[in-house]
Amino acid sequence: LLPPGPKPWPLIGNILDMPTVRPWETYRAWCKQYESDVIYVNIPTQPTIILGSVKAAIGLLEKRSEIYSGRSVPMMLELMGWDFNFGFMTYTPRWRAHRRMFHQLFHSGVVERYRPVQLSEARKFLSWILISPEHTRKHVRLMLTSIILELAFGRKITGLDDEYVHIAEVAGEALNVSIIPGAFWVEYFPWLKYVPSWVPGNLSMKTVERYKPYVALTRNKAFDQVQAAMEEGNPPACLATELLEENRAKYAGTPAHAAFDEVAKNIISVAYHVAADTTTSSCEAFLVAMAMYPDIQRKAQAELDRIVGPDRLPEFDDLPHMPYLRAVVMETGRWMPVVPFGLPHRVIQEDTYNGYRIPEGTMIIPNAWSMLHDPETYPEPERFHPDRFLNADGTINTNVRDPATIAFGFGRRICPGRHFSDNALSIFIASVLHVFEITPGFDKAGRPVKLSSEIVGGLVSTPENVPCGLKPRSEQAAQLIRKDGAESK
Ligand code: HEM
């Protein structure tokens, strides 16, 4: 017996039922309608299961991770040339080799190395906002892209017109539009890939043609430059150089050398385009929350005033002393999840769960948004309410599920960039709150910016609007920003 789900049509199954806009809401509605946290959707070429509860996600993706760690690579991604991205590789030794090298650079024990760059970019952000708060959204993206470009390739960028920023942004867009299950018909009718893109209605191939060059640039351009600089004997200090040097030391003269250099190239390119997009969305979500909930903003600022005080900007070492701020970071990831329907897994062998059959090859979509908005775990889920994570004495209540255990995925595929991202978001939140009052601000037409907790997008989602009314909390705060800006020049 398959799990319950919408009634399929002959031949086309549930293709027409698959939502392409805010799919996480329809997924949740199905769970309610069919009274099940496991829903089966009959897609002729790709049987799909949606998981609507943490219990089901952990029961399958974590507890049975040896068979639930595959991926279904959407045809669109393959056609665009994304197969170098190990996030889409299925559960093979090739994936493992990539994941291992990525882990080496981003596990919890090493991400501290990146704090100086994360801190310095967060402080630059403060000085950009002081000059042009109307460009808040651009500044957030610039800050996060600068962090990863500097670390990955040793490139310092000065503005969003930098071509490397543009490449990463368009490549991210390519992923976003292509990965919503059911968004493109070539997924169901693979022969469409042979139909030229100029044939009216062939949106799949038109989209492939638009994005393919950017995907190749993401992978090749910056890395090839580092490699060329290395051959000339003057490589920049960066992660790409470190990996190439390590590979040279370990494998030079062996047949494995080229293969390891390819893995290095692939994983650095993945970090380059994933890191900025995801964490940009979290920072934006935080700004929206603060503008919509001024009382919470003031509470977090009171903690900063107490622990950091008015004479300096926050440092990483201050963070463990600020549980309220920690709760704000946690609530940000819950309230507006950046990856609302997770990254689908694939089961590599037939299984049964709660008496239901799960066929081999089924795509498994964990509906993270719905789990993070479950009123039983998080009462009044639409409300931004950091206090839900705190004990009466102000310490973190470990009995309330940390949203990071859902928002970053599950099992062997759990996001390997989560520690890096958490550091970047935490120091951003502390830095901004310490010196700015955040209000919605006004759009170009002079109307107040309209804010809501709704997210838009696909794989990586963002708030629709971001506040741009950031003003220094005091003259002393403005001076702190200017002083630090002058020092970091
Ligand atoms: C707000 C920030 C972020 C969120 C919410 C997020 C979320 C996720 C999720 C849900 C997955 C899929 C996990 C699964 O399959 O169960 C994932 C995978 C991944 N993430 Fe993140 N991520 C974030 C930031 C980052 C950053 C900063 C990096 C890089 C430094 C990164 C690199 C990756 C990679 C490489 C994968 C694929 C892992 C694999 O398939 O083995 N992520 N992320």
Side-chain angles (χ1 to χ4, degrees):
L1 178 72
L2 289 165
K7 199 167 171 285
W9 294 86
L11 292 175
I12 57 166
N14 295 116
I15 290 184
L16 299 176
D17 297 317
M18 282 306 270
T20 53
V21 177
R22 302 176 58 78
W24 49 90
E25 287 184 353
T26 308
Y27 298 159
R28 173 148 88 173
W30 282 339
C31 286
K32 282 211 174 108
Q33 185 180 348
Y34 301 103
E35 295 177 359
S36 172
D37 56 354
V38 185
I39 296 290
Y40 185 78
V41 195
N42 180 330
I43 306 286
T45 49
Q46 180 54 80
T48 299
I49 277 180
I50 291 151
L51 304 178
S53 72
V54 175
K55 188 165 163 258
I58 292 189
L60 298 178
L61 305 181
E62 284 190 17
K63 299 226 166 104
R64 303 184 193 170
S65 62
E66 67 287 358
I67 58 167
Y68 280 88
S69 298
R71 291 263 196 243
S72 297
V73 188
M75 170 78 75
M76 283 294 283
L77 296 189
E78 222 170 89
L79 293 170
M80 283 181 192
W82 276 118
D83 45 346
F84 72 87
N85 182 334
F86 72 98
F88 303 115
M89 288 177 194
T90 196
Y91 193 52
T92 54
R94 181 160 183 255
W95 166 76
R96 211 166 286 119
H98 283 76
R99 174 107 189 175
R100 196 176 297 129
M101 203 183 277
F102 192 95
H103 178 78
Q104 182 190 323
L105 300 182
F106 291 102
H107 68 81
S108 60
V110 294
V111 288
E112 258 185 43
R113 289 178 61 192
Y114 312 131
R115 286 180 170 186
V117 174
Q118 290 173 323
L119 181 71
S120 126
E121 289 300 326
R123 290 185 178 181
K124 280 189 206 157
F125 173 85
L126 304 179
S127 58
W128 300 330
I129 291 290
L130 200 57
I131 297 165
S132 53
E134 69 281 12
H135 295 310
T136 300
R137 197 159 208 171
K138 284 190 182 166
H139 296 324
V140 173
R141 180 167 286 278
L142 181 60
M143 168 185 66
L144 290 150
T145 317
S146 300
I147 293 172
I148 195 67
L149 275 169
E150 177 164 354
L151 292 171
F153 305 115
R155 290 193 72 86
K156 286 203 192 277
I157 52 170
T158 50
L160 281 175
D161 48 356
D162 185 287
E163 62 174 322
Y164 289 87
V165 180
H166 182 62
I167 292 169
E169 203 174 354
V170 181
E173 196 181 297
L175 261 186
N176 248 348
V177 298
S178 320
I179 203 167
I180 297 185
F184 289 94
W185 283 66
V186 72
E187 305 295 341
Y188 310 133
F189 307 112
W191 48 264
L192 273 177
K193 69 180 171 192
Y194 302 113
V195 177
S197 60
W198 50 261
V199 173
N202 194 359
L203 184 64
S204 306
M205 293 315 285
K206 269 200 193 76
T207 309
V208 167
E209 233 165 61
R210 161 156 163 60
Y211 288 116
K212 202 173 170 171
Y214 285 95
V215 177
L217 284 171
T218 311
R219 176 169 183 245
N220 300 324
K221 198 169 162 83
F223 194 91
D224 288 354
Q225 279 182 1
V226 173
Q227 213 160 10
M230 200 161 154
E231 269 149 36
E232 284 165 16
N234 61 345
C238 64
L239 294 175
T241 301
E242 272 178 32
L243 288 179
L244 287 168
E245 279 174 349
E246 189 182 325
N247 288 347
R248 187 190 275 174
K250 279 189 186 157
Y251 309 110
T254 74
H257 193 181
F260 276 101
D261 275 0
E262 196 197 322
V263 175
K265 178 173 186 168
N266 292 346
I267 62 136
I268 290 286
S269 314
V270 168
Y272 160 45
H273 82 84
V274 176
D277 251 15
T278 46
T279 315
T280 295
S281 280
S282 320
C283 293
E284 291 179 349
F286 153 75
L287 293 171
V288 173
M290 290 303 103
M292 286 175 66
Y293 294 86
D295 291 355
I296 289 167
Q297 188 179 157
R298 277 190 282 278
K299 242 171 136 171
Q301 285 166 335
E303 185 178 61
L304 278 153
D305 291 346
R306 224 174 33 249
I307 304 293
V308 179
D311 303 328
R312 63 179 182 89
L313 292 170
E315 305 278 345
F316 270 101
D317 288 345
D318 295 316
L319 299 179
H321 308 292
M322 295 190 284
Y324 195 79
L325 202 100
R326 182 71 211 151
V328 170
V329 174
M330 291 164 81
E331 182 69 340
T332 299
R334 184 202 68 80
W335 188 61
M336 240 193 229
V338 168
V339 186
F341 55 90
L343 199 50
H345 290 218
R346 180 176 207 263
V347 59
I348 56 178
Q349 157 189 324
E350 174 153 328
D351 192 24
T352 51
Y353 182 69
N354 282 354
Y356 294 125
R357 184 168 81 84
I358 301 186
E360 176 190 339
T362 300
M363 176 160 92
I364 314 283
I365 302 178
N367 189 4
W369 179 84
S370 161
M371 299 175 206
L372 292 164
H373 285 244
D374 173 4
E376 292 205 353
T377 318
Y378 306 112
E380 291 186 74
E382 299 312 315
R383 178 173 162 214
F384 189 90
H385 185 49
D387 294 75
R388 67 175 84 247
F389 298 111
L390 296 170
N391 293 311
D393 66 357
T395 54
I396 297 285
N397 178 355
T398 48
N399 293 323
V400 180
R401 177 172 279 280
D402 181 347
T405 62
I406 300 169
F408 290 104
F410 302 92
R412 296 181 194 183
R413 288 285 191 161
I414 191 171
C415 174
R418 62 196 186 282
H419 310 292
F420 177 83
S421 181
D422 186 62
N423 281 347
L425 177 65
S426 303
I427 202 63
F428 171 78
I429 288 183
S431 307
V432 172
L433 279 177
H434 194 54
V435 291
F436 285 115
E437 188 200 341
I438 304 159
T439 58
F442 297 92
D443 65 16
K444 280 193 193 121
R447 288 176 303 239
V449 173
K450 250 176 118 179
L451 300 172
S452 84
S453 63
E454 289 214 346
I455 41 176
V456 291
L459 177 65
V460 177
S461 290
T462 54
E464 188 152 25
N465 293 315
V466 170
C468 56
L470 278 70
K471 286 188 297 261
R473 288 176 67 201
S474 63
E475 183 43 38
Q476 195 178 1
Q479 274 173 13
L480 269 187
I481 302 171
R482 284 193 209 102
K483 177 167 157 274
D484 185 79
E487 275 166 13
S488 59
K489 269 177 210 157

mmCIF file of all heavy atoms in Angstrom, residues 71 86-87 95 99 102 106 270 274-275 278-279 282 338-339 343 345 407-410 413-417 420-421, ligand 1:
data_model
loop_
_atom_site.group_PDB
_atom_site.id
_atom_site.type_symbol
_atom_site.label_atom_id
_atom_site.label_comp_id
_atom_site.label_asym_id
_atom_site.label_seq_id
_atom_site.Cartn_x
_atom_site.Cartn_y
_atom_site.Cartn_z
ATOM 1 N N ARG A 71 20.143 11.259 -4.273
ATOM 2 C CA ARG A 71 19.467 12.443 -4.815
ATOM 3 C C ARG A 71 18.876 12.072 -6.167
ATOM 4 O O ARG A 71 19.455 11.267 -6.900
ATOM 5 C CB ARG A 71 20.469 13.576 -5.094
ATOM 6 C CG ARG A 71 21.064 14.182 -3.868
ATOM 7 C CD ARG A 71 20.343 15.451 -3.466
ATOM 8 N NE ARG A 71 21.154 16.203 -2.536
ATOM 9 C CZ ARG A 71 20.803 16.479 -1.283
ATOM 10 N NH1 ARG A 71 19.638 16.093 -0.800
ATOM 11 N NH2 ARG A 71 21.596 17.171 -0.510
ATOM 12 N N PHE A 86 28.227 18.781 -5.926
ATOM 13 C CA PHE A 86 27.996 17.517 -5.215
ATOM 14 C C PHE A 86 26.686 17.512 -4.442
ATOM 15 O O PHE A 86 26.203 16.461 -4.031
ATOM 16 C CB PHE A 86 29.185 17.147 -4.318
ATOM 17 C CG PHE A 86 29.348 17.988 -3.083
ATOM 18 C CD1 PHE A 86 28.865 17.547 -1.856
ATOM 19 C CD2 PHE A 86 30.005 19.192 -3.132
ATOM 20 C CE1 PHE A 86 29.024 18.298 -0.710
ATOM 21 C CE2 PHE A 86 30.176 19.960 -1.985
ATOM 22 C CZ PHE A 86 29.680 19.519 -0.776
ATOM 23 N N GLY A 87 26.081 18.678 -4.278
ATOM 24 C CA GLY A 87 24.751 18.731 -3.671
ATOM 25 C C GLY A 87 23.731 17.951 -4.493
ATOM 26 O O GLY A 87 22.708 17.535 -3.988
ATOM 27 N N TRP A 95 30.417 11.363 -4.812
ATOM 28 C CA TRP A 95 29.827 12.322 -3.881
ATOM 29 C C TRP A 95 30.655 12.371 -2.593
ATOM 30 O O TRP A 95 30.986 13.439 -2.084
ATOM 31 C CB TRP A 95 28.378 11.922 -3.539
ATOM 32 C CG TRP A 95 27.855 12.668 -2.348
ATOM 33 C CD1 TRP A 95 27.440 13.973 -2.315
ATOM 34 C CD2 TRP A 95 27.763 12.188 -0.997
ATOM 35 N NE1 TRP A 95 27.084 14.320 -1.032
ATOM 36 C CE2 TRP A 95 27.272 13.245 -0.206
ATOM 37 C CE3 TRP A 95 28.040 10.956 -0.382
ATOM 38 C CZ2 TRP A 95 27.056 13.120 1.163
ATOM 39 C CZ3 TRP A 95 27.814 10.833 0.986
ATOM 40 C CH2 TRP A 95 27.330 11.908 1.741
ATOM 41 N N ARG A 99 32.275 15.520 -0.732
ATOM 42 C CA ARG A 99 31.770 15.909 0.585
ATOM 43 C C ARG A 99 32.924 15.942 1.596
ATOM 44 O O ARG A 99 33.003 16.838 2.434
ATOM 45 C CB ARG A 99 30.683 14.907 1.010
ATOM 46 C CG ARG A 99 30.175 15.101 2.407
ATOM 47 C CD ARG A 99 28.796 15.674 2.461
ATOM 48 N NE ARG A 99 28.462 16.024 3.826
ATOM 49 C CZ ARG A 99 27.347 16.635 4.197
ATOM 50 N NH1 ARG A 99 26.461 16.998 3.306
ATOM 51 N NH2 ARG A 99 27.118 16.933 5.449
ATOM 52 N N PHE A 102 35.039 19.033 1.092
ATOM 53 C CA PHE A 102 34.276 20.212 1.515
ATOM 54 C C PHE A 102 34.263 20.307 3.045
ATOM 55 O O PHE A 102 34.512 21.362 3.632
ATOM 56 C CB PHE A 102 32.848 20.124 0.982
ATOM 57 C CG PHE A 102 32.074 21.403 1.107
ATOM 58 C CD1 PHE A 102 32.010 22.300 0.059
ATOM 59 C CD2 PHE A 102 31.407 21.725 2.287
ATOM 60 C CE1 PHE A 102 31.304 23.485 0.170
ATOM 61 C CE2 PHE A 102 30.700 22.906 2.411
ATOM 62 C CZ PHE A 102 30.647 23.789 1.346
ATOM 63 N N PHE A 106 35.040 23.232 6.066
ATOM 64 C CA PHE A 106 33.915 23.927 6.700
ATOM 65 C C PHE A 106 33.365 23.253 7.965
ATOM 66 O O PHE A 106 32.299 23.624 8.438
ATOM 67 C CB PHE A 106 32.769 24.127 5.686
ATOM 68 C CG PHE A 106 33.108 25.121 4.610
ATOM 69 C CD1 PHE A 106 33.476 24.704 3.342
ATOM 70 C CD2 PHE A 106 33.084 26.476 4.876
ATOM 71 C CE1 PHE A 106 33.814 25.626 2.360
ATOM 72 C CE2 PHE A 106 33.410 27.408 3.904
ATOM 73 C CZ PHE A 106 33.787 26.983 2.635
ATOM 74 N N VAL A 270 31.223 25.342 -5.651
ATOM 75 C CA VAL A 270 29.931 25.178 -4.974
ATOM 76 C C VAL A 270 29.843 26.160 -3.805
ATOM 77 O O VAL A 270 28.846 26.866 -3.644
ATOM 78 C CB VAL A 270 29.734 23.720 -4.498
ATOM 79 C CG1 VAL A 270 28.561 23.614 -3.550
ATOM 80 C CG2 VAL A 270 29.522 22.805 -5.685
ATOM 81 N N VAL A 274 26.885 28.914 -3.444
ATOM 82 C CA VAL A 274 25.851 28.578 -2.446
ATOM 83 C C VAL A 274 25.931 29.506 -1.231
ATOM 84 O O VAL A 274 24.918 29.931 -0.689
ATOM 85 C CB VAL A 274 25.992 27.120 -1.943
ATOM 86 C CG1 VAL A 274 24.992 26.827 -0.847
ATOM 87 C CG2 VAL A 274 25.800 26.146 -3.079
ATOM 88 N N ALA A 275 27.166 29.797 -0.803
ATOM 89 C CA ALA A 275 27.326 30.472 0.486
ATOM 90 C C ALA A 275 26.662 31.842 0.498
ATOM 91 O O ALA A 275 25.982 32.200 1.461
ATOM 92 C CB ALA A 275 28.802 30.591 0.827
ATOM 93 N N THR A 278 22.409 31.780 0.187
ATOM 94 C CA THR A 278 21.661 31.293 1.343
ATOM 95 C C THR A 278 21.742 32.271 2.519
ATOM 96 O O THR A 278 20.728 32.664 3.086
ATOM 97 C CB THR A 278 22.234 29.939 1.803
ATOM 98 O OG1 THR A 278 23.663 30.051 1.841
ATOM 99 C CG2 THR A 278 21.840 28.818 0.882
ATOM 100 N N THR A 279 22.965 32.671 2.852
ATOM 101 C CA THR A 279 23.103 33.490 4.056
ATOM 102 C C THR A 279 22.586 34.906 3.815
ATOM 103 O O THR A 279 22.113 35.561 4.745
ATOM 104 C CB THR A 279 24.568 33.456 4.549
ATOM 105 O OG1 THR A 279 25.017 32.093 4.494
ATOM 106 C CG2 THR A 279 24.703 33.938 5.970
ATOM 107 N N SER A 282 19.070 34.759 4.902
ATOM 108 C CA SER A 282 18.873 34.768 6.361
ATOM 109 C C SER A 282 19.050 36.171 6.917
ATOM 110 O O SER A 282 18.302 36.589 7.793
ATOM 111 C CB SER A 282 19.880 33.909 7.111
ATOM 112 O OG SER A 282 20.148 32.752 6.467
ATOM 113 N N VAL A 338 15.062 29.562 4.845
ATOM 114 C CA VAL A 338 15.711 29.930 3.586
ATOM 115 C C VAL A 338 15.573 28.823 2.536
ATOM 116 O O VAL A 338 15.503 29.080 1.340
ATOM 117 C CB VAL A 338 17.207 30.192 3.886
ATOM 118 C CG1 VAL A 338 18.025 30.284 2.637
ATOM 119 C CG2 VAL A 338 17.360 31.450 4.720
ATOM 120 N N VAL A 339 15.523 27.573 3.010
ATOM 121 C CA VAL A 339 15.363 26.451 2.065
ATOM 122 C C VAL A 339 14.076 25.725 2.478
ATOM 123 O O VAL A 339 14.110 24.714 3.173
ATOM 124 C CB VAL A 339 16.596 25.515 2.111
ATOM 125 C CG1 VAL A 339 16.507 24.441 1.028
ATOM 126 C CG2 VAL A 339 17.890 26.314 1.935
ATOM 127 N N LEU A 343 16.248 20.005 0.376
ATOM 128 C CA LEU A 343 16.776 19.549 -0.898
ATOM 129 C C LEU A 343 16.361 18.085 -0.956
ATOM 130 O O LEU A 343 16.731 17.293 -0.091
ATOM 131 C CB LEU A 343 18.302 19.701 -0.871
ATOM 132 C CG LEU A 343 19.048 19.710 -2.187
ATOM 133 C CD1 LEU A 343 18.439 20.690 -3.167
ATOM 134 C CD2 LEU A 343 20.513 20.063 -1.962
ATOM 135 N N HIS A 345 15.779 14.255 -1.151
ATOM 136 C CA HIS A 345 16.632 13.065 -1.122
ATOM 137 C C HIS A 345 16.013 12.020 -2.070
ATOM 138 O O HIS A 345 14.938 12.234 -2.622
ATOM 139 C CB HIS A 345 16.683 12.451 0.273
ATOM 140 C CG HIS A 345 17.436 13.271 1.284
ATOM 141 N ND1 HIS A 345 18.227 12.704 2.240
ATOM 142 C CD2 HIS A 345 17.526 14.614 1.502
ATOM 143 C CE1 HIS A 345 18.766 13.649 3.004
ATOM 144 N NE2 HIS A 345 18.337 14.817 2.580
ATOM 145 N N ALA A 407 16.174 23.127 9.528
ATOM 146 C CA ALA A 407 16.423 24.063 8.420
ATOM 147 C C ALA A 407 17.631 23.681 7.566
ATOM 148 O O ALA A 407 17.712 24.049 6.401
ATOM 149 C CB ALA A 407 16.613 25.469 8.980
ATOM 150 N N PHE A 408 18.577 22.947 8.141
ATOM 151 C CA PHE A 408 19.778 22.589 7.379
ATOM 152 C C PHE A 408 19.722 21.163 6.831
ATOM 153 O O PHE A 408 20.718 20.629 6.366
ATOM 154 C CB PHE A 408 21.037 22.773 8.237
ATOM 155 C CG PHE A 408 21.354 24.220 8.510
ATOM 156 C CD1 PHE A 408 21.101 24.798 9.740
ATOM 157 C CD2 PHE A 408 21.897 25.020 7.510
ATOM 158 C CE1 PHE A 408 21.384 26.141 9.981
ATOM 159 C CE2 PHE A 408 22.189 26.355 7.732
ATOM 160 C CZ PHE A 408 21.934 26.917 8.973
ATOM 161 N N GLY A 409 18.549 20.561 6.881
ATOM 162 C CA GLY A 409 18.404 19.241 6.278
ATOM 163 C C GLY A 409 18.735 18.120 7.246
ATOM 164 O O GLY A 409 18.873 18.338 8.454
ATOM 165 N N PHE A 410 18.864 16.918 6.688
ATOM 166 C CA PHE A 410 18.853 15.721 7.534
ATOM 167 C C PHE A 410 19.899 14.689 7.117
ATOM 168 O O PHE A 410 20.249 14.573 5.945
ATOM 169 C CB PHE A 410 17.473 15.065 7.452
ATOM 170 C CG PHE A 410 16.362 15.981 7.877
ATOM 171 C CD1 PHE A 410 15.700 16.764 6.940
ATOM 172 C CD2 PHE A 410 16.003 16.078 9.210
ATOM 173 C CE1 PHE A 410 14.688 17.622 7.325
ATOM 174 C CE2 PHE A 410 14.977 16.934 9.609
ATOM 175 C CZ PHE A 410 14.322 17.709 8.665
ATOM 176 N N ARG A 413 23.268 13.978 4.447
ATOM 177 C CA ARG A 413 23.277 15.093 3.503
ATOM 178 C C ARG A 413 23.131 16.438 4.191
ATOM 179 O O ARG A 413 23.017 17.469 3.525
ATOM 180 C CB ARG A 413 22.113 14.932 2.521
ATOM 181 C CG ARG A 413 22.323 13.819 1.535
ATOM 182 C CD ARG A 413 23.342 14.288 0.486
ATOM 183 N NE ARG A 413 23.373 13.343 -0.602
ATOM 184 C CZ ARG A 413 23.859 13.588 -1.815
ATOM 185 N NH1 ARG A 413 24.354 14.771 -2.103
ATOM 186 N NH2 ARG A 413 23.866 12.668 -2.719
ATOM 187 N N ILE A 414 23.099 16.446 5.514
ATOM 188 C CA ILE A 414 22.881 17.703 6.226
ATOM 189 C C ILE A 414 23.845 18.770 5.706
ATOM 190 O O ILE A 414 24.970 18.461 5.298
ATOM 191 C CB ILE A 414 23.031 17.490 7.751
ATOM 192 C CG1 ILE A 414 22.540 18.706 8.508
ATOM 193 C CG2 ILE A 414 24.476 17.161 8.129
ATOM 194 C CD1 ILE A 414 22.447 18.483 10.019
ATOM 195 N N CYS A 415 23.389 20.010 5.689
ATOM 196 C CA CYS A 415 24.178 21.090 5.094
ATOM 197 C C CYS A 415 25.570 21.180 5.721
ATOM 198 O O CYS A 415 25.707 21.416 6.921
ATOM 199 C CB CYS A 415 23.448 22.415 5.307
ATOM 200 S SG CYS A 415 24.438 23.820 4.766
ATOM 201 N N PRO A 416 26.608 21.017 4.918
ATOM 202 C CA PRO A 416 27.956 21.085 5.486
ATOM 203 C C PRO A 416 28.457 22.522 5.658
ATOM 204 O O PRO A 416 29.543 22.738 6.175
ATOM 205 C CB PRO A 416 28.804 20.350 4.431
ATOM 206 C CG PRO A 416 28.063 20.545 3.148
ATOM 207 C CD PRO A 416 26.612 20.688 3.483
ATOM 208 N N GLY A 417 27.623 23.522 5.253
ATOM 209 C CA GLY A 417 28.044 24.914 5.396
ATOM 210 C C GLY A 417 27.378 25.586 6.590
ATOM 211 O O GLY A 417 27.450 26.792 6.767
ATOM 212 N N PHE A 420 29.560 27.671 9.153
ATOM 213 C CA PHE A 420 30.065 28.882 8.504
ATOM 214 C C PHE A 420 28.943 29.927 8.435
ATOM 215 O O PHE A 420 29.114 31.098 8.762
ATOM 216 C CB PHE A 420 30.533 28.502 7.097
ATOM 217 C CG PHE A 420 31.027 29.633 6.265
ATOM 218 C CD1 PHE A 420 32.336 30.075 6.395
ATOM 219 C CD2 PHE A 420 30.204 30.251 5.338
ATOM 220 C CE1 PHE A 420 32.806 31.123 5.618
ATOM 221 C CE2 PHE A 420 30.664 31.292 4.562
ATOM 222 C CZ PHE A 420 31.972 31.735 4.702
ATOM 223 N N SER A 421 27.770 29.451 8.035
ATOM 224 C CA SER A 421 26.634 30.338 7.872
ATOM 225 C C SER A 421 26.185 30.909 9.220
ATOM 226 O O SER A 421 25.883 32.100 9.337
ATOM 227 C CB SER A 421 25.501 29.541 7.230
ATOM 228 O OG SER A 421 24.406 30.343 7.035
HETATM 229 C C1 HEM B 1 20.986 29.928 5.833
HETATM 230 C C2 HEM B 1 21.954 29.212 5.349
HETATM 231 C C3 HEM B 1 21.795 27.828 4.791
HETATM 232 C C4 HEM B 1 20.731 26.969 4.798
HETATM 233 C C5 HEM B 1 19.347 27.193 5.406
HETATM 234 C C6 HEM B 1 21.147 25.759 4.124
HETATM 235 C C7 HEM B 1 20.341 24.649 3.953
HETATM 236 C C8 HEM B 1 20.729 23.502 3.304
HETATM 237 C C9 HEM B 1 19.889 22.351 3.122
HETATM 238 C C10 HEM B 1 18.449 22.209 3.608
HETATM 239 C C11 HEM B 1 20.605 21.430 2.449
HETATM 240 C C12 HEM B 1 20.134 20.040 2.031
HETATM 241 C C13 HEM B 1 20.366 19.049 3.125
HETATM 242 C C14 HEM B 1 19.730 17.721 2.839
HETATM 243 O O1 HEM B 1 19.881 17.192 1.752
HETATM 244 O O2 HEM B 1 19.024 17.189 3.721
HETATM 245 C C15 HEM B 1 21.910 21.985 2.190
HETATM 246 C C16 HEM B 1 22.905 21.346 1.505
HETATM 247 C C17 HEM B 1 24.107 21.922 1.216
HETATM 248 N N1 HEM B 1 24.568 23.152 1.652
HETATM 249 FE FE1 HEM B 1 23.564 24.480 2.773
HETATM 250 N N2 HEM B 1 22.437 25.896 3.726
HETATM 251 C C18 HEM B 1 22.877 27.138 4.108
HETATM 252 C C19 HEM B 1 24.139 27.663 3.925
HETATM 253 C C20 HEM B 1 25.163 27.039 3.279
HETATM 254 C C21 HEM B 1 26.488 27.575 3.124
HETATM 255 C C22 HEM B 1 26.954 28.903 3.683
HETATM 256 C C23 HEM B 1 27.201 26.665 2.399
HETATM 257 C C24 HEM B 1 28.645 26.712 1.985
HETATM 258 C C25 HEM B 1 29.608 27.265 2.674
HETATM 259 C C26 HEM B 1 26.313 25.540 2.104
HETATM 260 C C27 HEM B 1 26.660 24.415 1.375
HETATM 261 C C28 HEM B 1 25.825 23.344 1.158
HETATM 262 C C29 HEM B 1 26.209 22.172 0.352
HETATM 263 C C30 HEM B 1 27.519 21.975 -0.361
HETATM 264 C C31 HEM B 1 25.119 21.283 0.385
HETATM 265 C C32 HEM B 1 25.007 19.922 -0.299
HETATM 266 C C33 HEM B 1 25.412 18.819 0.645
HETATM 267 C C34 HEM B 1 25.245 17.415 0.067
HETATM 268 O O3 HEM B 1 24.395 17.183 -0.779
HETATM 269 O O4 HEM B 1 25.991 16.526 0.504
HETATM 270 N N3 HEM B 1 25.096 25.806 2.658
HETATM 271 N N4 HEM B 1 21.965 23.261 2.736
#
